[in-house]
Amino acid sequence: MQPTDPALAALRPLIVQNAKPDTSDGALRAAAKELEAAFLSEMLAAAKVGEMPGEFGGGIGEEQFVSLLRDAQAEAMVEAGGIGLAEQIFRATAKKA
């Protein structure tokens, strides 16, 4: 394609728009919440939340899906207010953005 190609000229605004990072407060706050949820999920994993001991365990199925349960629990914790990590991350990154 040549620079004067009409198809490329029509796509250029979309390419430029998508190349810029979204620094709106909503996107930044959502990213901070995702980071807090990931942190909480790792903390729940370290505490072995969701794992059943001994003969009450679910075998290989439990091993495969317990991480999904922890992720959902962590996301619910964040939506309920979390531990305040998302807000701290948001404030720290909003100052620099």
Side-chain angles (χ1 to χ4, degrees):
M1 292 180 148
Q2 298 204 7
T4 58
D5 187 0
L8 182 61
L11 291 175
R12 189 171 310 279
L14 295 175
I15 295 169
V16 172
Q17 178 184 4
N18 290 335
K20 296 177 185 175
D22 186 4
T23 58
S24 67
D25 285 352
L28 190 57
R29 190 170 299 277
K33 285 183 175 184
E34 285 180 31
L35 187 57
E36 182 178 7
F39 174 78
L40 288 173
S41 180
E42 289 300 316
M43 293 299 103
L44 292 172
K48 298 190 185 300
V49 170
E51 295 180 11
M52 298 297 287
E55 57 275 350
F56 294 108
I60 194 161
E62 180 182 349
E63 291 173 18
Q64 292 175 344
F65 293 105
V66 73
S67 66
L68 298 174
L69 174 63
R70 279 192 300 262
D71 290 345
Q73 289 171 331
E75 289 172 10
M77 289 170 68
V78 170
E79 290 305 314
I83 59 173
L85 184 61
E87 187 62 28
Q88 293 297 320
I89 293 169
F90 172 75
R91 288 180 185 172
T93 53
K95 290 178 185 176
K96 296 179 181 182

